[in-house]
Amino acid sequence: MAIRLFIDGAAGTTGLEIRERLTGRDEFELLVLDDAQRKDEAARRDALHAADIAILCLPDDAAKEAVKLAEGSGTRIIDASSAHRVAEGWTYGFPELVNHMPGTGRDAIANAQFVSNPGCYPTGFLALLAPLVDPGISVRGGDPINGGLLPFDFPYSVNAVSGYSGGGNALIDRFAAEPNIAFRAYGMAGGHKHLPEMQTYAQLASPPVFSPSVVPAHRGMIVDIPLPLAMMGARGWPLALWNLLDEMYEDSDVVRVHEMSDNPSELLLMSDADPWDGMDLYVFGPFHEQGADDLPTHARLVARLDNLGKGASGAAIQNLNIMCGLPETTGLRL
């Protein structure tokens, strides 16, 4: 029997791309509300209670309201908003972080009732940094024999750029109405909504300094973490960082770690890029073995992904597949 699936917020950017990835999939029976019903509370409650699984593609407050509407139903929920990413009782839907910290990974997702999709920027940030950080290593605590390669209490920074679709229909409309916008830096005062999950799942002592920006491309994202190795008490040279990431994702069909010897001289976002649900990771820095005389002064960890793919809709489909016991990459654009 087909799995009954309801997408609450199906008319938004993320919802539309989820529906596109479900095209032709007879494992699911899609419950659809017409335009007159999709904002009607009673109709939404009925659909949420009728569904086996619901995917919430809503603003945070509306997502919280949807969870309340679903109370008593037993419906399993994937929330694509940021409302529940660090909330008690919710599983963080980042299957590649398996074994990194309790409550993450494929088994946790497969058995969860409530799964929260990662944010687009945190997806790149955590994929790069979380495997390299050990919460027991302190810059001030000396150089332990065992543990992670990077300290948990360093003041990390992250520079990131996204296509404008990450801001939803409002930002899409703004870029259409103001075609002279070439670059938009935002969140200048700090306090971005992604910071709690970035700190929590990388197990950092404090949130990173986050510098997000948007360019006139519909989709695409680059996340860049600079590492001043010589001043941060790092135990890992660039090649050691690469080795750990490569081992972490060696069996993944979604995340690819590029060879350091093959690193490109530039990374591009294309204005006409096709949907893509994978993620490319890079370690930039001096390429030689640990043990030379001088620790390299710096490295850069960089992720390239589609903010609407692995950063949103693709991640929701990946989690949906895992929750339903289906092959993880079914329906993904890889």
Side-chain angles (χ1 to χ4, degrees):
M1 187 171 64
I3 299 164
R4 293 166 298 177
L5 178 67
F6 174 54
I7 304 172
D8 197 358
T13 308
T14 299
L16 290 171
E17 294 228 349
I18 289 173
R19 290 189 64 171
E20 179 184 296
R21 286 161 174 78
L22 292 171
T23 300
R25 295 191 60 178
D26 56 11
E27 311 102 305
F28 299 101
E29 174 192 348
L30 200 57
L31 307 181
V32 180
L33 299 181
D34 60 32
D35 288 344
Q37 293 179 306
R38 62 187 181 87
K39 293 187 179 182
D40 181 81
E41 184 176 296
R44 289 174 59 215
R45 180 187 291 108
D46 289 345
L48 287 163
H49 281 249
D52 297 306
I53 299 180
I55 304 179
L56 310 182
C57 303
L58 302 163
D60 287 5
D61 287 343
K64 292 175 183 177
E65 176 189 88
V67 173
K68 289 184 177 180
L69 291 176
E71 285 180 356
S73 66
T75 299
R76 304 176 77 190
I77 294 175
I78 300 171
D79 183 8
S81 82
S82 62
H84 299 102
R85 289 177 185 156
V86 294
E88 186 176 352
W90 286 76
T91 295
Y92 195 57
F94 199 147
E96 289 84 7
L97 290 187
V98 61
N99 297 331
H100 175 64
M101 63 182 298
T104 61
R106 290 169 179 83
D107 289 344
I109 294 168
N111 297 310
Q113 180 176 3
F114 301 117
V115 173
S116 184
N117 243 31
C120 50
Y121 290 118
T123 294
F125 177 81
L126 293 170
L128 292 164
L129 195 63
L132 303 175
V133 171
D134 188 306
I137 293 180
S138 168
V139 173
R140 296 174 296 278
D143 188 17
I145 296 174
N146 299 305
L149 298 176
L150 299 178
F152 81 100
D153 59 352
F154 186 78
Y156 291 94
S157 62
V158 53
N159 307 302
V161 60
S162 172
Y164 53 72
S165 57
N169 290 330
L171 191 57
I172 292 172
D173 291 344
R174 181 179 174 188
F175 269 85
E178 303 177 57
N180 59 326
I181 296 176
F183 180 88
R184 176 179 178 261
Y186 68 101
M188 306 302 289
H192 195 283
K193 67 179 182 178
H194 287 322
L195 291 175
E197 65 183 293
M198 295 165 85
Q199 178 181 358
T200 296
Y201 296 107
Q203 302 187 81
L204 301 178
S206 60
V209 178
F210 180 35
S211 301
S213 57
V214 181
V215 293
H218 183 71
R219 65 175 70 242
M221 172 170 285
I222 292 175
V223 179
D224 184 353
I225 307 172
L227 300 177
L229 296 175
M231 64 176 291
M232 67 188 300
R235 301 179 64 242
W237 289 33
L239 187 57
L241 304 179
W242 179 89
N243 281 330
L244 197 154
L245 291 175
D246 185 58
E247 181 180 353
M248 174 84 173
Y249 300 111
E250 63 182 348
D251 296 325
S252 176
D253 293 319
V254 176
V255 180
R256 177 174 59 164
V257 181
H258 286 254
E259 297 278 351
M260 284 189 69
S261 57
D262 249 359
N263 274 347
S265 59
E266 59 182 15
L267 294 175
L268 305 175
L269 296 180
M270 309 304 293
S271 59
D272 60 349
D274 292 327
W276 177 52
D277 295 326
M279 179 162 54
D280 289 338
L281 304 183
Y282 303 85
V283 178
F284 291 93
F287 178 62
H288 52 74
E289 296 286 349
Q290 190 158 341
D293 292 339
D294 299 315
L295 179 72
T297 59
H298 70 279
R300 290 169 68 184
L301 307 176
V302 180
R304 185 178 67 89
L305 63 153
D306 181 349
N307 58 289
L308 290 178
K310 180 61 172 168
S313 304
I317 292 295
Q318 188 178 359
N319 286 325
L320 176 66
N321 289 333
I322 293 170
M323 293 170 74
C324 296
L326 301 169
E328 187 173 328
T329 59
T330 305
L332 297 185
R333 309 291 192 256
L334 295 172

